[in-house]
Amino acid sequence: MIPHDAHLQIGSLLFEDIDQIDLTGPFEVLSRIPNSTYRIYGKTAEPVRDLRGLRLTPDAALSDAPQLDVLHVPGGFGQEALMEDTEVLDWIARQAAGARSVFSVCTGALVCGAAGLLRGRRATTHWASFHLLPLFGAIPVNERVVVDGNWVFAAGVTAGIDGALRLAAELRGDDVAQSIQLYMAYAPEPPFNSGTPETAPAAILAQARQSVAAITAQREATARRVATRLGITD
C-alpha cells in the first residue's frame, strides 16, 4: 500500500475502436482513488469512437502526460492498430518503467506484450486471445484477475472492474477499495452463468468463437510478427 499522503498520477490510454468498458469500468474505480489525479491520454487530444460508436475524448495527448504512477492499458479491436505503432509502444514502455503499478484490461495485455513487457510475467487476457500470451513470453493464468508484482491483469471486458478494485486495494488499502465498491453498488448477480468458456453452453460458446474468428486470426498473425521482432519463440 502506498502512503495516503503520496499523490498519485493515474492515466488511461485511449484509442480508436477501444472497447469502452475496458476504459469506463475501471474509470469508475480509479477516478475515485483518494489523493489522486486521473486523466485519459490519446495519440492526440482529438475524440475517438469505441468499437460500437461511442464518442470518447482524451484529456490530453500522450506527449503531455507526466510520469504516471498508475498506467492503465485497455483493449478492444483497436488494439490491433497499436501492436506495431512505435509511438504508442514506446510511450507504454517508458511509462511502465517508471510506474508504481501497471494495469492491463482485456487485450490491453497484447499491447503490453508488443511493447516487450510480458516476458516471464504471469498474465491473463480475454478468453478469445488467451492462447496468444505465450507469443509474448508471458505465462498464461486462466483467472479473472492476475497480480504479478506491480502488475495487475484483468481478463475480458467487465473483469476490468474487478481488477481496478484489486488495484485500488493494492494502492490505498482494502477499506478504500470496499468503500468504492459500495458507492458503485457493485454486487453483480448476472441472470445467466454464461460469462466464461467453461460455463457457457456449448452452442453459445461455438457461436461466440465464430463471431470473433476473424479478429482472432488477425491478432495471431500480428502477434507472431511482433514475437519475431522481439526475438521470442513460443
Side-chain angles (χ1 to χ4, degrees), residues 54-99:
L54 181 66
R55 190 176 178 88
L56 299 162
T57 304
D59 294 302
L62 301 182
S63 57
D64 295 324
Q67 172 58 59
L68 300 173
D69 296 295
V70 179
L71 171 64
H72 167 213
V73 182
F77 283 22
Q79 148 268 327
E80 265 296 290
L82 304 184
M83 296 289 285
E84 296 168 296
D85 186 321
T86 303
E87 178 186 355
V88 174
L89 297 179
D90 287 350
W91 182 82
I92 290 172
R94 288 196 306 271
Q95 287 289 350

Side-chain angles (χ1 to χ4, degrees), residues 38 57 61 69 83 111 124 138 153 190 194 203 210-211 224-225 230:
Y38 174 92
T57 304
D69 296 295
M83 296 289 285
V111 182
T124 192
F153 295 90
S194 188
Q210 182 58 37
S211 72
R224 291 190 180 280
R225 284 198 307 274
L230 295 173

Side-chain angles (χ1 to χ4, degrees), residues 128-152:
S129 297
F130 187 77
H131 65 292
L132 302 179
L133 288 173
L135 292 174
F136 303 103
I139 302 166
V141 180
N142 188 20
E143 295 178 4
R144 191 164 171 84
V145 177
V146 174
V147 178
D148 186 300
N150 67 331
W151 283 67
V152 176

